[in-house]
Amino acid sequence: MVDTAQIAMENGDQLWFARPHAAGLAVGRLLPGTAALQGRFALKRRRARARAASAPQPSEHLLDPAQLELFPAPPRDWSRLDTTRPPAPTSAAVALVADFTSYMRGRGWSTHSFNGSTRTLRIVTGHLGADVPIQESDIRALASTYPNLHGARVINYLRLRGLLDARPPSDLCTARARHHATAVTHPAFSTAVHTFIDVLLGQGSTSSRARSPKTVENYVVAILDTLEAWIADGLTDPREVTKKHIEDALDPLRGDKARRLHTALRSFFRALKRERLVFRDPARAISLSSTRSVPTALPSDRIAGLLDHLDDPRDRLMVALVAIYALLPGQLVHLRRSDLDRSRGRLRLRRAGRLDHVIYLDAFTLRLVTAWELQRHRRWPDSSNPHFFVTRNTAVDESGPSISAGVIQHLFQCVGLPAGRLRVDRIVDEARHSADPVRLMELFGLSNLSATRYVLSAHPDKKHDPITP
């Protein structure tokens, strides 16, 4: 009994005479111009051939964990992906997709709403397998190719499972600064700007404290127009810049524009001098006279009932920390859960290059803290983000990012008062009552010069003369 078509027949198998070719004998004669014979076996053969042709086959690009990399492979072009004939997934890929679905359900996410993430993981593991860590660049490239695919949650999940080959983190501010440096028309000045960026990032010939990427971008943008003007005037090297050139560049500017350019140029030539690209620093002896505004308080009617307009516990706590303890927006962004000591009512503020500042919370603020933590635990009970303030996106991100500065900026725009203005009002109000710069330094972590400025602003009758016996 031989099943020549390799299919299971509904009414049992046919008993054939020996040799497989006997089943292919024609019964009757096919006349010219007539159709092929139709029968039960011919139909089953066609269906079997169709199923065999349409059965998905394993991918030809499965990654082998035993295969060593001889050289870095070029990036894959996922735009040429054939989605009409997906490959057959391996057992490891099927198990990984099932575990990802369980992971999403455990996080409280709707699997129907995040089908794009599941589809992305299924496509990537179907073509590359699940035995070797997947490159982050492949997931991002695939997600950017099709609008119904999403890669952020897939990347976080694979990182959690140890199956992600993460690419080195890149900062947009640094990338833009490098792009500006490359766009400088003269190569000597372009090289100087790249060296300037290296020094600011702490990557110069002498180790130094790295500046923030945003500061690096601001410095580079501030000097670009001046460098291009010098190139247009015929300068071919930063060593040709003199004190007169810098004074001429600063002369038509006023206010903040003059201060920004003056600070950026001083930092620029100081970095070139340290890297020995210039013989002398032409900006060293240039000083810029500027008037510093006196801190003033806000009208009381603008502050009254400030928290009454807010319903979200997180927003109320943010505004309270600025209005009562004069925190900076950047300090709100980088606060961590470990910085809060609820039993002692203390909150630690981390300061780079300086001692940490500790503030003592009152009963009202502690109640706001409790309300926010209860809401956070209720909405995201499994969140592992270490930061104190989170959003619906950062709370479920396994990489633990901080909230963006735009979240705080939008909050205070809704309140109607800038955070910096509200902070200044709080310090000025304290200076009116205490008139003691040491107390301002202890409460708000100010420097001695800043604390003295606030006291003199609140008490104009006091003089700058030192205390004499």
Side-chain angles (χ1 to χ4, degrees):
M1 184 170 62
V2 181
D3 186 3
T4 57
Q6 298 181 355
I7 57 175
M9 300 184 179
E10 296 179 357
N11 300 324
D13 205 355
Q14 174 66 39
L15 180 63
W16 300 97
F17 292 103
R19 299 192 181 280
H21 67 270
L25 295 177
V27 180
R29 181 177 296 178
L30 182 63
L31 299 177
T34 61
L37 293 177
Q38 300 293 328
R40 182 163 64 94
F41 302 112
L43 178 61
K44 289 186 177 182
R45 290 191 186 98
R46 287 197 298 272
R47 289 177 178 175
R49 294 191 191 100
R51 283 196 299 269
S54 61
Q57 302 296 324
S59 173
E60 300 177 355
H61 309 286
L62 293 177
L63 301 179
D64 187 359
Q67 177 66 49
L68 299 179
E69 185 181 49
L70 298 179
F71 52 85
R76 296 180 178 86
D77 185 7
W78 290 94
S79 61
R80 303 175 60 185
L81 180 66
D82 183 11
T83 58
T84 60
R85 296 178 59 84
T90 63
S91 58
V94 173
L96 190 66
V97 173
D99 185 67
F100 179 58
T101 305
S102 302
Y103 165 79
M104 288 196 298
R105 291 196 180 116
R107 290 283 178 179
W109 301 339
S110 171
T111 54
H112 177 71
S113 302
F114 298 104
N115 281 338
S117 300
T118 309
R119 193 179 302 112
T120 302
L121 182 62
R122 186 180 295 114
I123 292 175
V124 170
T125 56
H127 285 82
L128 304 180
D131 298 324
V132 177
I134 301 172
Q135 294 185 6
E136 182 179 351
S137 57
D138 283 328
I139 302 174
R140 295 191 182 277
L142 175 61
S144 63
T145 304
Y146 301 95
N148 59 345
L149 299 180
H150 309 286
R153 288 175 174 80
V154 176
I155 291 174
N156 292 331
Y157 169 76
L158 294 178
R159 182 185 291 111
L160 186 66
R161 294 293 184 266
L163 293 175
L164 181 70
D165 185 6
R167 65 182 182 184
S170 59
D171 185 84
L172 293 179
C173 294
T174 305
R176 286 193 293 263
R178 293 290 186 184
H179 175 74
H180 292 320
T182 306
V184 176
T185 54
H186 198 282
F189 283 92
S190 177
T191 303
V193 177
H194 277 294
T195 304
F196 178 42
I197 296 174
D198 293 337
V199 173
L200 291 178
L201 295 176
Q203 301 171 2
S205 58
T206 305
S207 60
S208 60
R209 181 172 66 90
R211 300 283 184 170
S212 67
K214 186 61 179 176
T215 301
V216 175
E217 182 187 9
N218 291 340
Y219 278 9
V220 172
V221 171
I223 65 176
L224 282 180
D225 293 339
T226 303
L227 296 183
E228 292 293 349
W230 289 340
I231 295 173
D233 290 341
L235 300 184
T236 59
D237 195 280
R239 289 176 290 185
E240 301 177 3
V241 178
T242 63
K243 179 181 178 182
K244 183 67 166 55
H245 289 109
I246 299 176
E247 290 176 342
D248 292 341
L250 293 173
D251 186 60
L253 302 179
R254 296 292 182 273
D256 291 338
K257 291 184 178 180
R259 283 194 294 271
R260 281 196 294 267
L261 179 59
H262 177 250
T263 304
L265 287 177
R266 290 196 62 175
S267 181
F268 175 66
F269 284 103
R270 189 185 302 117
L272 298 187
K273 179 68 166 58
R274 196 178 74 174
E275 296 299 314
R276 300 183 179 182
L277 294 183
V278 296
F279 299 113
R280 51 186 172 76
D281 181 0
R284 181 177 181 180
I286 297 178
S287 60
L288 188 66
S289 60
S290 60
T291 58
R292 189 181 294 270
S293 59
V294 178
T296 57
L298 291 170
S300 58
D301 57 344
R302 296 189 63 184
I303 306 176
L306 198 61
L307 297 180
D308 297 338
H309 303 290
L310 302 174
D311 297 327
D312 187 71
R314 185 196 66 188
D315 296 344
R316 290 170 59 88
L317 179 57
M318 283 185 176
V319 174
L321 290 176
V322 174
I324 300 175
Y325 301 98
L327 264 67
L328 293 167
Q331 292 173 330
L332 296 177
V333 168
H334 298 293
L335 273 180
R336 293 179 172 266
R337 304 186 75 178
S338 58
D339 295 335
L340 174 65
D341 187 350
R342 187 201 303 273
S343 61
R344 298 182 181 181
R346 300 193 303 184
L347 184 65
R348 181 179 61 173
L349 304 179
R350 304 170 186 264
R351 301 186 295 184
R354 301 171 59 189
L355 293 176
D356 295 342
H357 177 59
V358 178
I359 61 176
Y360 296 87
L361 306 177
D362 58 1
F364 173 73
T365 308
L366 284 174
R367 288 196 296 270
L368 296 179
V369 169
T370 303
W372 159 238
E373 290 202 324
L374 288 175
Q375 185 196 40
R376 170 173 175 164
H377 179 73
R378 183 171 59 254
R379 294 186 62 182
W380 307 289
D382 297 330
S383 176
S384 58
N385 194 308
H387 290 88
F388 188 67
F389 292 110
V390 294
T391 62
R392 63 179 182 178
N393 293 325
T394 63
V396 297
D397 195 332
E398 298 295 343
S399 61
S402 60
I403 62 175
S404 64
V407 174
I408 299 177
Q409 183 179 4
H410 177 71
L411 166 62
F412 283 92
Q413 285 178 351
C414 297
V415 170
L417 286 174
R421 201 68 188 85
L422 193 60
R423 177 178 184 268
V424 169
D425 176 81
R426 173 66 184 96
I427 301 176
V428 171
D429 181 71
E430 186 64 32
R432 285 176 178 173
H433 290 82
S434 64
D436 184 5
V438 177
R439 177 170 174 80
L440 299 184
M441 295 168 62
E442 293 176 349
L443 285 178
F444 308 114
L446 303 177
S447 65
N448 56 348
L449 294 178
S450 297
T452 304
R453 286 183 54 242
Y454 279 104
V455 171
L456 294 176
S457 173
H459 301 275
D461 55 320
K462 295 184 178 293
K463 297 182 180 181
H464 295 270
D465 297 336
I467 300 177
T468 56

